[in-house]
Amino acid sequence: MNETKMRSDAIGESPDELELDGAESEDLDEAMAEAVAAVEEVEGRHEGDEGSEVSQEVLDLRQEVRELRERSVRTLADFENYRKRSERERGDLRRYALTEAMREMLSVVDNFERALTAGGGFDDLKQGVEMILRQMKDVLRRQGVEEVPAEGEPFDPSVHEAVSRREDPAVVEPVVVKEMQKGYRLHERLLRPSIVEVAVPIEGSEN
């Protein structure tokens, strides 16, 4: 698939409307060059001649060159317009990619503001913050964000970052025994690793 085809797929336009920068442009250049050469050949062959037939042939060829040039200019203008439109749409796509996620976050912000202005004691405030935290996690889950399993899991350096280790006769392989900071994935991509403490087998142990 060429670049033009991929761009057309990205913005949902017919590829027939977008084949403007490749073969067609080269065909136009080639056709124009052939037409100009034909005019020059006829003019050279009949230089000094006078006659309506020769003059008409030259006029026809010049008209063909004029039409090809106009077609080339229109084609290039169409492609330039397409290029600018495509760049603008890609920019908008990047700029507004988080629109849905941000819309969901607004309700979390609303609840934080209500919690800060509400009366009540410490327990009420704690309960309110816990509810907002659950709401926040629900938002993240809907956006494809999931926690990386850590405590009790075999140590995996691709998703766990060990900042502490201790020997433990009860383990036969490195195991995460404490999570100091949660790690998260966005779908299959790691957003950040879990910061963990790892228990490792005792060196020389037969386990």
Side-chain angles (χ1 to χ4, degrees), residues 21-144:
D21 59 338
E24 185 170 347
S25 179
E26 294 176 0
D27 290 346
L28 283 172
D29 292 341
E30 185 177 348
M32 286 185 63
E34 290 177 356
V36 170
V39 171
E40 291 174 347
E41 179 185 351
V42 170
E43 287 179 331
R45 191 166 63 239
H46 299 286
E47 188 173 4
D49 293 352
E50 292 183 359
S52 59
E53 184 177 343
V54 173
S55 298
Q56 185 59 48
E57 184 179 1
V58 172
L59 290 175
D60 290 345
L61 288 171
R62 284 179 174 169
Q63 177 63 25
E64 184 178 350
V65 170
R66 189 179 304 111
E67 291 174 357
L68 286 170
R69 183 176 288 114
E70 290 173 356
R71 182 183 171 197
S72 178
V73 169
R74 286 198 301 271
T75 299
L76 291 174
D78 287 343
F79 177 70
E80 181 63 14
N81 289 335
Y82 159 74
R83 187 184 63 78
K84 290 179 179 178
R85 186 172 67 251
S86 181
E87 287 181 355
R88 186 170 59 251
E89 289 174 353
R90 284 200 298 270
D92 287 346
L93 187 63
R94 288 193 296 270
R95 188 176 305 142
Y96 299 113
L98 296 177
T99 297
E100 188 59 32
M102 293 301 100
R103 184 176 290 120
E104 291 198 56
M105 287 292 295
L106 294 179
S107 60
V108 178
V109 173
D110 290 341
N111 285 334
F112 267 123
E113 291 177 342
R114 291 189 188 101
L116 289 173
T117 57
F122 174 78
D123 290 340
D124 294 328
L125 179 61
K126 182 181 177 183
Q127 185 178 5
V129 171
E130 288 173 344
M131 292 175 61
I132 295 171
L133 177 60
R134 285 196 295 273
Q135 182 186 19
M136 182 70 183
K137 288 184 174 181
D138 287 341
V139 171
L140 292 175
R141 194 176 301 111
R142 285 196 293 275
Q143 296 300 322

Side-chain angles (χ1 to χ4, degrees), residues 147-157 159-160 171 173-179 185 194 196-199:
E147 293 181 10
V148 173
E151 223 168 282
E153 296 290 323
F155 175 68
D156 181 353
V159 294
H160 301 140
V171 301
E173 63 176 354
V175 174
V176 175
V177 292
K178 185 177 181 181
E179 183 180 56
R185 285 192 185 93
S194 300
V196 299
E197 179 181 343
V198 181

